[in-house]
Amino acid sequence: MSLTERLFSRAPLARLMQQGRLRILLTPQQLRCVVVQGKRLVEDSVQQIAVDHAGGHWQASVDALRALLQQPAIASARLPLEISLSGRWSQMVLAPWSDALLSEPGASRFLQMQLAALYGDNARGWSIASDDAPYGQTRVVCGVDSTLLHALKDVATECGHPCRAIEPLLATALRPLDAAAGALVLIEPGRITMAALDGKRITAIQSQPAGEAWRLALPQAWQRWTLRAPELAGIEQVAVVDLSMAQASPEPLPARFRLIDSPLGGEAAATATILPFPAQPEAAA
């Protein structure tokens, strides 16, 4: 079972399989959503809400989610939610094999320690999920602030939507990917995340800051990564998902890199702005 299938929140699938659902991307800069029917995106359903991210804290984006779900058309449909979290709020690491993984609670403690070693003591309070890689192999581990998870579930419940999944954006991008791809690159505002793949299993992961000129930065980032991990140098097909919000650039990518469709659809049908705090009423003249 993959990390995509071992989610932080999943409702019983039998009653949801044949329904449409609302796929939502939550980032510090934007909330984006699209209706999904089966494996098909309903393109004219795409909406985008710009978020005043107030230093990157997630509360403004949660407020934007509430505002989205209260829109009459969305509120009446009551579609199940699939929420994808930006890499800013869903931290991932590869954990080495340990006999501690064979039983609980040792497995959870071990995985929490792996996140804490990379992200500090704050990670000890995160909710964690992992894939169930075969015996002896590394595991992909994801950690998310528990308070954020509770806030998302509370908003979904408050607005009357079943929450089918809350998962890292990287997992969402992996789902429709061609199994022939040897790696996936996810471009977010200010961030490049590179993941080497075996089928659709993540075998290595690397993330780094990036500016708007990510097309220039990506080949260099890939080269530096493969110099540190020579076993990745033979990867010939790298799929790239661009969610950077940057303007389209004529700068071509090297042949190794292939832009693929976003799992959140094309151009947004409507754009609005959500402020982090209510506007103050104007003083009377």
Side-chain angles (χ1 to χ4, degrees), residues 73-97:
I74 292 177
S76 62
R78 304 288 190 194
L79 292 177
L81 306 183
E82 295 179 347
I83 302 175
S84 299
L85 295 178
S86 162
R88 178 70 177 267
W89 299 322
S90 54
Q91 308 295 349
M92 302 182 74
V93 67
L94 283 177
W97 174 258

Side-chain angles (χ1 to χ4, degrees), residues 174-237:
L174 275 174
R175 195 177 300 120
L177 192 63
D178 186 337
L184 172 66
V185 173
L186 186 61
I187 309 294
E188 297 184 71
R191 184 184 184 98
I192 292 176
T193 300
M194 302 174 288
L197 308 173
D198 180 6
K200 289 192 179 183
R201 286 201 66 249
I202 298 172
T203 58
I205 191 167
Q206 172 71 23
S207 186
Q208 69 172 58
E212 289 192 2
W214 65 264
R215 287 173 177 262
L216 293 174
L218 175 56
Q220 299 172 9
W222 181 264
Q223 183 179 39
R224 287 193 297 269
W225 193 30
T226 55
L227 286 174
R228 294 194 300 271
E231 67 276 11
L232 306 180
I235 295 176
E236 297 180 353
Q237 295 186 42

Side-chain angles (χ1 to χ4, degrees), residues 22 24 64-72 74-75 81 155-156 159 161:
L22 192 63
I24 296 169
L65 174 61
R66 179 181 288 105
L68 174 79
L69 298 181
Q70 289 174 344
Q71 293 181 11
I74 292 177
L81 306 183
V155 167
C159 296
H161 292 261

